[in-house]
Amino acid sequence: KCENTYENNQYANVMACSSRQLKEFLTWIQEQDFYENTTIILAGDHPTMDSDFCEEISIDYDRRTYVAYINSAVEPESGDKRIFSTFDHFPSTLAALGAEINGNRLGLGTNLFSSTPTLTEQYGISYEEQELKKRSRLIDQLASLNENSP
């Protein structure tokens, strides 16, 4: 299915191919009877890890993972650009499906459709990372449960 559009760049070919396949899927689903009642969430898990693929991109460019909520049951309370982490996908996904979330937070995540600040917006990524690196007796105990299992 994939073409050799970028002759000496296999990574670019893979990206172009997956983009084409995604476009084909979205076009197909838009033609289905159930489309209007279907929420689609596209979420990348990390920016590209191919170190030289982005050599030509300015160092000032803010590279981020891609996230899109299509046919969400709710609209964002503001059009402001949000600073968020993967934690925020959990409550945002549920909100996009129509769930009401008291306080707009679940676990460490914040509903991105709300105007409630995310933990990243409140504390900054450095502080968040520092806190997440701390040891947890509960997590250590839960992790050791598997060691004693048959």
Side-chain angles (χ1 to χ4, degrees):
K1 283 195 159 201
C2 296
E3 302 165 6
N4 189 15
T5 306
Y6 305 97
E7 284 195 22
N8 292 319
N9 194 332
Q10 179 63 17
Y11 194 73
N13 284 324
V14 169
M15 300 257 298
C17 185
S18 63
S19 293
R20 257 191 318 279
Q21 289 179 22
L22 180 58
K23 180 186 178 291
E24 288 172 13
F25 170 72
L26 291 173
T27 300
W28 174 83
I29 203 166
Q30 288 171 334
E31 296 167 353
Q32 306 309 307
D33 294 339
F34 55 83
Y35 173 71
E36 293 300 323
N37 191 30
T38 301
T39 301
I40 301 167
I41 302 165
L42 305 173
D45 59 345
H46 57 78
T48 180
M49 295 188 323
D50 186 340
S51 59
D52 62 349
F53 189 72
C54 298
E55 280 180 346
E56 305 297 319
I57 297 173
S58 168
I59 197 161
D60 296 331
Y61 182 78
D62 186 18
R63 292 178 51 229
R64 299 184 154 268
T65 56
Y66 182 82
V67 179
Y69 293 87
I70 302 169
N71 285 345
S72 172
V74 293
E75 293 292 324
E77 291 178 3
S78 83
D80 295 343
K81 181 179 176 183
R82 303 296 306 266
I83 300 170
F84 61 94
S85 72
T86 309
F87 295 125
D88 302 308
H89 292 304
F90 171 45
S92 302
T93 296
L94 293 178
L97 296 172
E100 289 187 31
I101 302 164
N102 291 337
N104 289 307
R105 288 214 166 105
L106 292 173
L108 296 175
T110 303
N111 171 9
L112 294 170
F113 292 96
S114 74
S115 57
T116 304
T118 65
L119 293 179
T120 309
E121 290 168 332
Q122 259 184 303
Y123 299 107
I125 192 72
S126 296
Y127 181 75
E128 218 174 4
E129 286 175 350
Q130 175 186 328
E131 290 298 304
L132 289 169
K133 287 179 182 176
K134 290 183 176 178
R135 296 292 302 235
S136 163
R137 276 188 292 207
L138 174 61
I139 296 298
D140 289 343
Q141 287 173 338
L142 292 172
S144 71
L145 291 178
N146 289 336
E147 294 173 8
N148 300 327
S149 298

